Amino acid sequence: MIFDAHCDVLYRLQNEKDLHFSKSGPLHVTYQELKNAGAKVQCFAIFLSPSLPPSRRFEAALEQVDLFYERIVKPHADIQVITSKRDIQNLKEHEIGVVLTLEGCEAIQEDLMKLRTLKRLGVCSVGLTWNYANTLADGAMESRGAGLTAFGRQVVEELNQMKIWTDVSHLSEKAFWDVLELADYPVASHSNSYSLCPHPRNLKDDQIKALIQKNSVIGLTFVPFFVKDHPKPSIADFLQHVDYVCGLGGEFHLGFGSDFDGIDETIPGLDSFQGYLQLAELLDKHYSASQVENFLYHNFVRYFPD
């Protein structure tokens, strides 16, 4: 069983009209690949292009919600929408759970009603920023490196009340620490170790340890330039991040957030959801069966908010 904490299928379906989720094709994540590889829970992010005018953002987010229900859920009787840990636990053997997430709060601007609306539509995890600054915080690529705004703090408190994840993966370092002080349910959906690959989107050792202390999960990601500062990183390079986070005490706090369909380049062998089969085989050579099951599935389920 596999829990994948991040993909950008909805963005691609919205912007590439000839794509089909139900059958194999250009998408990294398709219904057929999920079935073939043994997926159990897949998170689908709402992500908006930074070039989108502010007046279009909430509407565009709602379009992706509609795609989620019309193209992912509705055609497939064995796909079930997940909004709680109980929903995951109640999945039948042949069923796949799908989770709606928000990657960056640009869609809500400064309106908590829009956030609450997205929660009511099924969103279970919220990233406050993408890579740059918005009305809530600075992102990881924003040179200013500021923390949460007053509105950003309001949003984190609202997410606590909603009992859903606050995703720290795209935050500036200062904003990360602000969130760790406030959030009841922090998570890093798709980030790697900064010590192994010093990219601003990756997490430093003290950040990883802080997430572990908060009973959180880090979704290690397949983005090549978050794995190694090298033109062609390998699965072996990716496995070093698994080893490293385990060495920091993260055995029960790491999972995977592929970022499939949000990346143009892939690691050989991890170029679609089918790559999880090869990854699982390699993990089996280095870890016990229970450890591999935790990495692939149980760690994310364990810390999914009740």
Side-chain angles (χ1 to χ4, degrees):
M1 295 191 295
I2 299 164
F3 187 122
D4 184 287
H6 189 84
C7 80
D8 285 297
V9 168
L10 299 179
Y11 178 77
R12 291 195 65 189
L13 289 177
Q14 184 181 42
N15 291 280
E16 300 175 54
K17 304 303 183 185
D18 59 337
L19 293 181
H20 299 278
F21 173 73
S22 294
K23 58 186 180 182
S24 297
L27 288 171
H28 298 144
V29 178
T30 65
Y31 171 74
Q32 202 57 56
E33 294 226 349
L34 292 175
K35 296 294 287 186
N36 292 346
K40 198 62 181 174
V41 179
Q42 175 66 58
C43 295
F44 289 84
I46 300 167
F47 169 72
L48 307 180
S49 168
S51 64
L52 203 63
S55 60
R56 270 277 296 142
R57 289 173 185 168
F58 189 62
E59 180 184 4
L62 293 180
E63 288 172 3
Q64 290 190 29
V65 173
D66 187 62
L67 286 167
F68 175 75
Y69 284 101
E70 291 296 316
R71 304 272 292 277
I72 309 297
V73 179
K74 186 177 177 180
H76 309 106
D78 52 352
I79 284 186
Q80 302 296 325
V81 177
I82 299 298
T83 59
S84 69
K85 185 185 292 187
R86 184 180 295 261
D87 289 340
I88 299 174
Q89 294 166 340
N90 289 339
L91 286 170
K92 296 181 176 64
E93 184 176 351
H94 69 285
E95 291 179 332
I96 297 172
V98 291
V99 180
L100 195 57
T101 71
L102 181 64
E103 186 177 23
C105 281
E106 288 75 18
I108 71 167
Q109 295 176 280
E110 293 187 80
D111 191 341
L112 287 175
M113 181 192 71
K114 291 177 179 176
L115 177 65
R116 290 191 288 267
T117 298
L118 291 172
K119 166 64 169 66
R120 292 179 182 119
L121 291 171
V123 167
C124 290
S125 177
V126 173
L128 306 185
T129 68
W130 185 57
N131 281 337
Y132 300 102
N134 61 14
T135 58
L136 288 81
D138 276 10
M141 305 297 289
E142 189 71 46
S143 59
R144 177 178 56 181
L148 292 182
T149 65
F151 181 63
R153 291 176 179 273
Q154 275 188 275
V155 167
V156 174
E157 295 289 359
E158 189 79 13
L159 297 177
N160 290 343
Q161 292 296 315
M162 294 174 175
K163 295 187 177 181
I164 64 177
W165 275 331
T166 301
D167 188 353
V168 301
S169 273
H170 278 278
L171 288 174
S172 70
E173 195 169 348
K174 176 67 168 64
F176 171 94
W177 290 112
D178 287 348
V179 166
L180 262 283
E181 285 183 13
L182 294 173
D184 292 338
Y185 310 101
V187 70
S189 63
H190 57 308
S191 294
N192 288 344
S193 164
Y194 185 92
S195 290
L196 295 184
C197 182
H199 190 285
R201 272 277 285 103
N202 284 338
L203 298 169
K204 295 180 178 178
D205 288 3
D206 56 348
Q207 293 176 294
I208 294 171
K209 291 177 181 178
L211 286 167
I212 292 168
Q213 287 295 315
K214 290 279 284 191
N215 282 331
S216 184
V217 196
I218 300 103
L220 299 179
T221 186
F222 304 161
V223 181
F225 47 91
F226 298 168
V227 171
K228 189 174 184 178
D229 186 13
H230 184 274
K232 294 183 178 180
S234 65
I235 294 183
D237 295 321
F238 175 76
L239 289 173
Q240 289 183 14
H241 288 264
V242 176
D243 289 338
Y244 193 83
V245 173
C246 284
L248 295 176
E251 176 184 344
F252 297 102
H253 301 273
L254 74 86
F256 302 112
S258 64
D259 206 4
F260 279 143
D261 293 301
I263 49 179
D264 296 322
E265 298 179 11
T266 56
I267 295 170
L270 292 176
D271 46 11
S272 74
F273 200 90
Q274 290 283 342
Y276 268 111
L277 296 175
Q278 182 175 349
L279 177 61
E281 288 180 6
L282 292 172
L283 289 169
D284 281 333
K285 294 178 180 179
H286 299 280
Y287 300 95
S288 69
S290 62
Q291 287 174 314
V292 174
E293 289 170 1
N294 282 331
F295 300 159
L296 288 171
Y297 180 71
H298 291 295
N299 286 346
F300 262 117
V301 175
R302 184 179 296 115
Y303 299 110
F304 201 93
D306 289 320

